[in-house]
Amino acid sequence: HRASYGQQQGIGSCWYVYQEKQKKIQMQRPEQLRKMAVRQGYFSLLDHTGQQRTKRDFLGCWVLLYFGFTHCPDICPDEVDKMTSLVCILDDDPSLPSVQPVFITVDPERDDVSAMAKYVKDFHPRLIGLTGTAEEVKQAGRDYTVYASAGPKDEDGDYIVDHTIIIYLVNPDGLFLDYYNRMKSDVQIAENIRNHMINYVKLFPD
Amino acid sequence: MSAPNARERKACWDARDELWKCLDVHKDQTSACEKLQREFEDKCPAQWVKYFFKRRDFLKYKEKIQNEGYEPTEGASKL
């Protein structure tokens, strides 16, 4: 039979509380994202000119990160070439903000500032190379769950570093938005980034 | 020892590709491709030579599995 007046009141107030809770969750979401953007992916490294760079220095820019090493036989040059190509595709579109490509070493033992400088000049003119101590490099990769493991040294002291092969997209708020593996082409990645840019909503008011 | 630059990388990859072509034609008979093998070893760091050979072996093995199927060894335990 029909709910009593008291029961209807009860149901009504439950619904009201539920709605208020949903509103609060929605309002907290940007706040949670802001906290995540600040905390996540922190790094403090040296660029290929010897200048210190932290995550803060890149805020306000769209950033592409790739973790690799200069002694890499083919995969890293291929991926950094791809990154160069897709940045050029986006550069050709004047309606889009520019993207900052970044190469971070997973082989800090060999990839010092001068090794990085020598490496980055073969790629996009805006490519920045980052290096540091073993601990600094490890920390930079932490929030992106970058895996890196140096193989055995041969008689020349040479070795291969096995590592995750991913390009990461970070937005101007410093939030990690997307990632691209080897299967994705330069064209596909550029298109994906274009969509992210179009849908971008600033987390931190000016 | 500094890492090869773009020009040196390309020279290494080209030497590798020439050797692979020769080995494919001569069904992996290394004696038929000695000159190209030496060029490959000249133009690439030793570590890369090892890496590229391993990769070639792996890709050939993968192709074989995909085309011919896989036979578990005798007495292999069931997982």
Side-chain angles (χ1 to χ4, degrees):
Chain A
H1 64 99
R2 277 179 62 206
S4 71
Y5 179 67
Q7 280 174 326
Q8 282 177 346
Q9 278 244 296
I11 290 165
S13 63
C14 278
W15 177 244
Y16 173 76
V17 165
Y18 172 76
Q19 280 203 308
E20 285 301 299
K21 198 171 172 199
Q22 288 306 303
K23 261 194 242 164
K24 197 166 170 206
I25 289 172
Q26 274 180 355
M27 269 163 41
Q28 279 171 352
R29 179 88 177 126
E31 187 50 41
Q32 284 166 343
L33 286 175
R34 271 184 223 114
K35 283 205 180 108
M36 194 153 63
V38 166
R39 214 178 40 220
Q40 180 196 71
Y42 176 78
F43 60 80
S44 172
L45 297 163
L46 286 179
D47 73 15
H48 61 277
T49 70
Q51 199 190 336
Q52 197 207 23
R53 302 274 205 145
T54 71
K55 184 182 158 174
R56 283 204 76 80
D57 297 322
F58 292 93
L59 295 179
C61 285
W62 288 87
V63 176
L64 284 172
L65 296 177
Y66 177 76
F67 292 82
F69 65 113
T70 70
H71 282 75
C72 182
D74 53 356
I75 294 177
C76 299
D78 270 351
E79 290 298 290
V80 183
D81 253 340
K82 185 170 78 177
M83 193 160 70
T84 297
S85 169
L86 79 93
V87 172
C88 287
I89 292 173
L90 294 168
D91 283 344
D92 279 343
D93 185 344
S95 73
L96 297 176
S98 82
V99 177
Q100 175 58 63
V102 177
F103 174 76
I104 303 184
T105 185
V106 295
D107 185 13
E109 193 182 316
R110 285 184 297 188
D111 290 344
D112 58 10
V113 167
S114 72
M116 295 299 268
K118 187 172 169 224
Y119 194 75
V120 299
K121 68 175 165 48
D122 283 331
F123 302 99
H124 193 283
R126 283 205 306 280
L127 179 67
I128 290 177
L130 295 178
T131 182
T133 65
E135 186 49 47
E136 284 165 343
V137 157
K138 205 160 119 190
Q139 180 188 42
R142 199 165 280 146
D143 284 338
Y144 300 99
T145 53
V146 170
Y147 161 77
S149 171
K153 287 187 183 167
D154 67 10
E155 60 220 8
D156 298 324
D158 198 358
Y159 54 90
I160 303 277
V161 181
D162 189 25
H163 63 92
T164 7
I165 307 158
I166 304 265
I167 297 173
Y168 302 87
L169 176 69
V170 180
N171 78 5
D173 294 317
L175 204 63
F176 164 35
L177 278 195
D178 217 328
Y179 66 95
Y180 316 101
N181 64 23
R182 285 202 78 191
M183 302 296 118
K184 293 279 188 287
S185 72
D186 50 357
V187 171
Q188 287 172 320
I189 299 173
E191 190 50 40
N192 178 287
I193 294 174
R194 182 180 286 119
N195 286 332
H196 277 297
M197 286 174 165
I198 290 168
N199 293 322
Y200 170 59
V201 172
K202 254 171 136 148
L203 267 186
F204 298 96
D206 285 323
Chain B
M1 182 186 63
S2 120
N5 63 24
R7 195 180 36 83
E8 289 160 343
R9 281 196 295 267
K10 183 163 191 310
C12 165
W13 298 341
D14 288 346
R16 171 201 65 190
D17 293 341
E18 289 302 300
L19 176 61
W20 281 187
K21 263 193 251 173
C22 177
L23 290 174
D24 285 343
V25 160
H26 292 97
K27 303 212 190 314
D28 288 347
Q29 268 196 329
T30 47
S31 51
C33 307
E34 264 176 29
K35 181 167 178 285
L36 289 173
Q37 170 98 17
R38 272 200 302 276
E39 262 189 50
F40 175 47
E41 286 167 4
D42 265 338
K43 297 207 162 105
C44 301
Q47 191 70 204
W48 292 21
V49 169
K50 218 166 72 179
Y51 168 89
F52 286 133
F53 264 114
K54 252 202 231 164
R55 205 181 32 233
R56 183 165 192 271
D57 289 344
F58 169 71
L59 289 172
K60 286 206 165 282
Y61 174 71
K62 190 172 157 199
E63 204 187 321
K64 180 167 182 272
I65 299 280
Q66 283 170 338
N67 294 336
E68 297 171 23
Y70 166 67
E71 290 234 2
T73 49
E74 279 280 323
S77 61
K78 283 209 172 106
L79 275 171

